[in-house]
Amino acid sequence: MLTNRRAGTRKRLHTSAYGYRKRDGDDGLNREIDPDEAEIVRRIFREFADGHSTQAIVKRLNGDGIPAPRGGTWDIST
């Protein structure tokens, strides 16, 4: 019989993901949704779903002064 050796271990994220922030605590994941960044993620998806190109979305984000994930400006690969 195969057993799950990792059963009962905590799942931890070791990288950052835009739209999430680190959460303190010993149970569950160590990330939670960052409401401000999550709104930007939703905006990007809405604009893309509305047919806007990646280049147009980047131009709007930069035009609105929204900082990129690591600060500075957005670019096509962000």
Side-chain angles (χ1 to χ4, degrees):
M1 174 192 314
L2 295 175
T3 59
N4 183 355
R5 289 188 211 176
R6 298 182 68 157
T9 60
R10 286 180 256 138
K11 295 180 181 179
R12 308 304 258 173
L13 299 175
H14 299 288
T15 61
S16 63
Y18 193 76
Y20 293 88
R21 62 184 174 208
K22 187 174 180 180
R23 180 180 71 81
D24 293 329
D26 292 332
D27 60 329
L29 292 175
N30 60 337
R31 296 283 186 263
E32 64 187 6
I33 293 173
D34 179 308
D36 295 329
E37 289 183 0
E39 183 53 39
I40 296 165
V41 171
R42 286 190 287 272
R43 171 187 168 165
I44 292 167
F45 275 89
R46 275 193 309 270
E47 290 189 19
F48 188 78
D50 288 342
H52 298 285
S53 70
T54 305
Q55 187 173 1
I57 295 168
V58 164
K59 188 174 182 178
R60 284 189 185 95
L61 291 169
N62 288 329
D64 290 343
I66 297 170
R70 294 186 178 172
T73 58
W74 294 81
D75 62 39
I76 201 82
S77 67
T78 311

